[in-house]
Amino acid sequence: MRKILCALVIILCSAQGAFPLQPPDERSHDWVWNVLAVPPSGGWNSEPGKSIKTALTWCEKEISESSSGIGGHDVKFVFANEGDDLPSRGSVNDPHTVAVMSFTYSPDSDRTLVSRLGGSNIPLMLAGGENILIDRAGRPVNNVFALDMYRDYRCAAFTEYAKRIYQREKRIALAASRFTINQEREAKICYTLLDSAGFIPMPYWTDASARDSYYMMSEEIESFEGEQAGVVISFLGSMGAREIWRNFMRIRTSWRLWNVAEPDEMYLSCRGMIFADQNVLLLTHGGFIETRRMLWRTRAMQVADPVAAGRAIALYEWFKRAVDVMPQPVDNMPRAELLRNMSRVRGIPFGNQTLDISPTLHRPSERNVYIVEVRERSFSELDTVKTKAMEYSPMD
């Protein structure tokens, strides 16, 4: 609407000789803000890439056709090409560039972005970020935000699940290595949570380089008399978890294996292995089919990956709500205020969830976590637990 009115004014003024009629260059005007979008690893022609691009195009049209846009401005999503150098402070040092959204889902690429843009005055929004540490000295980097909770959430999710299905004072074994920082750190976090919940956590520290280390640990764990359907929570990575699972299958134990890892396809042969994950069932249980329907119903736009599209819309809503609480219209973007607002946004639609951002984490304060078990070479839902995000706890 604003563009139409502006064009009419230009035509009228030109007819009266006020100035010559020239086609407007949208991106040169102050009312257009640019948001740089970094593509997924497969590029914009991949299934996720096409879906993200379609969703952001939908957002762009919604903004353009609204009465006030975002803070009185239109937004242009600038799609970086796959293979281009990742943006640096210099490449986004433009008064019209107001945010960078990363859809790479690549820890290495996102770490590079955080390294390059962290501490600047432009928001860097990660569509994933589960394995990306955005904290420095125990505090989140002022301009970096992530849609996923950090990987520590699995410790809290498994504790909540244990509280649902087991009585207190039950013994729960924790298997980890002292020679891998994340394993030791996360095992200690889980130990504290289980102990506080009234369970009896039993840590087992193993050396992956020692012959038969996993076998001896499995035998020792299983040897507890009177312990029926016990649990061992593994922090040992893919090789260690699968080795414990093989030993449990060999001795036909009633103990169950909970794996603190992403439920990758490599585990589909490990029948009965249990995982806790915030993303594994988003397509079937996350409510994003309605996102696909909404895009089609409102603008006849089709997406093959509704979860990727939903992440893009969530980042857009996050940015929009941070701007909406400023005095309107926003003539010159107050960068510091934008960053403060982004750390306090509430009510972001994310499928069938509504996300509130924690100012101390720069991530959602909680999300649904799906407890799944490997059955018939697929991940089958056991439960869904609402899990609070945890502050990053470095090693002592």
Side-chain angles (χ1 to χ4, degrees):
M1 181 62 72
R2 297 187 308 284
K3 294 177 185 176
I4 295 172
L5 292 175
C6 185
L8 289 174
V9 170
I10 292 174
I11 292 171
L12 290 173
C13 292
S14 177
Q16 297 175 8
F19 50 82
L21 177 62
Q22 295 180 347
D25 177 9
E26 286 187 321
R27 295 184 60 181
S28 68
H29 290 292
D30 288 338
W31 71 67
V32 180
W33 283 337
N34 295 328
V35 174
L36 178 62
V38 182
S41 57
W44 295 120
N45 288 324
S46 65
E47 191 171 277
K50 290 178 181 178
S51 299
I52 294 165
K53 198 169 186 177
T54 297
L56 293 179
T57 300
W58 181 89
C59 296
E60 193 174 290
K61 290 180 179 295
E62 289 288 300
I63 299 166
S64 177
E65 295 179 9
S66 69
S67 61
S68 58
I70 297 182
H73 296 256
D74 285 336
V75 169
K76 178 72 174 178
F77 290 99
V78 181
F79 299 99
N81 294 320
E82 185 188 12
D84 289 351
D85 288 337
L86 292 175
S88 61
R89 293 194 188 197
S91 65
V92 298
N93 187 20
D94 180 310
H96 293 102
T97 300
V98 292
V100 176
M101 295 180 179
S102 171
F103 299 95
T104 68
Y105 309 123
S106 162
D108 289 339
S109 296
D110 280 341
R111 286 189 191 100
T112 300
L113 281 172
V114 172
S115 175
R116 290 183 178 183
L117 298 180
S120 65
N121 62 6
I122 186 166
L124 171 59
M125 308 175 72
L126 309 180
E130 175 177 303
N131 293 301
I132 304 300
L133 186 61
I134 62 176
D135 287 65
R136 291 177 184 167
R139 300 180 62 184
V141 179
N142 67 310
N143 69 310
V144 184
F145 307 87
L147 198 56
D148 282 350
M149 296 186 294
Y150 188 60
R151 53 184 290 169
D152 293 347
Y153 74 87
R154 290 189 174 89
C155 301
F158 272 146
T159 300
E160 288 301 314
Y161 183 55
K163 287 162 62 176
R164 291 188 182 189
I165 66 173
Y166 293 128
Q167 294 182 349
R168 304 305 188 268
E169 298 188 358
K170 181 178 179 61
R171 289 180 291 185
I172 298 178
L174 308 177
S177 169
R178 289 192 183 276
F179 302 101
T180 306
I181 293 177
N182 273 331
Q183 289 185 20
E184 182 180 4
R185 187 181 62 83
E186 291 175 3
K188 288 182 175 179
I189 291 171
C190 198
Y191 181 100
T192 300
L193 293 173
L194 290 168
D195 183 60
S196 298
F199 296 102
I200 304 175
M202 305 177 300
Y204 286 84
W205 304 106
T206 185
D207 179 1
S209 64
R211 187 184 181 117
D212 294 332
S213 175
Y214 299 125
Y215 169 75
M216 290 185 292
M217 183 177 62
S218 301
E219 289 277 1
E220 184 176 356
I221 290 173
E222 203 273 336
S223 67
F224 286 105
E225 296 182 2
E227 191 71 39
Q228 298 298 318
V231 174
V232 56
I233 302 179
S234 171
F235 299 84
L236 292 169
S238 60
M239 185 186 75
R242 285 183 291 177
E243 194 62 31
I244 293 176
W245 178 83
R246 291 189 190 99
N247 287 321
F248 277 1
M249 292 298 102
R250 181 184 57 80
I251 61 181
R252 300 179 183 275
T253 180
S254 59
W255 280 67
R256 308 297 300 276
L257 180 61
W258 298 3
N259 191 358
V260 181
E262 296 181 38
D264 191 271
E265 290 184 357
M266 73 175 74
Y267 297 111
L268 290 179
S269 61
C270 300
R271 177 174 50 86
M273 189 178 288
I274 293 175
F275 297 83
D277 194 80
Q278 63 187 329
N279 296 320
V280 62
L281 296 182
L282 282 180
L283 180 60
T284 56
H285 291 61
F288 289 98
I289 299 303
E290 182 55 35
T291 301
R292 172 188 282 162
R293 292 172 181 155
M294 182 267 294
L295 292 172
W296 174 253
R297 184 176 63 250
T298 56
R299 297 191 178 276
M301 292 181 168
Q302 296 187 17
V303 293
D305 189 335
V307 176
R311 288 184 183 275
I313 293 173
L315 292 191
Y316 153 73
E317 284 285 347
W318 192 344
F319 174 79
K320 178 179 181 296
R321 289 164 189 250
V323 175
D324 282 347
V325 297
M326 297 178 181
Q328 305 289 307
V330 182
D331 293 330
N332 295 308
M333 175 64 78
R335 305 279 179 162
E337 183 179 355
L338 173 64
L339 295 179
R340 285 194 300 271
N341 292 348
M342 290 196 63
S343 69
R344 294 169 171 82
V345 170
R346 300 178 62 84
I348 300 171
F350 187 62
N352 56 18
Q353 302 179 62
T354 301
L355 307 181
D356 297 335
I357 303 305
S358 165
T360 60
L361 300 176
H362 286 193
R363 302 173 183 267
S365 57
E366 63 179 16
R367 272 184 56 177
N368 289 340
V369 176
Y370 305 102
I371 309 298
V372 297
E373 180 182 13
V374 178
R375 296 178 184 171
E376 298 179 354
R377 299 192 64 82
S378 65
F379 297 110
S380 180
E381 183 190 23
L382 293 177
D383 204 347
T384 300
V385 293
K386 181 75 74 174
T387 304
K388 293 187 180 298
M390 303 178 60
E391 294 188 14
Y392 179 73
S393 300
M395 287 288 293
D396 295 334

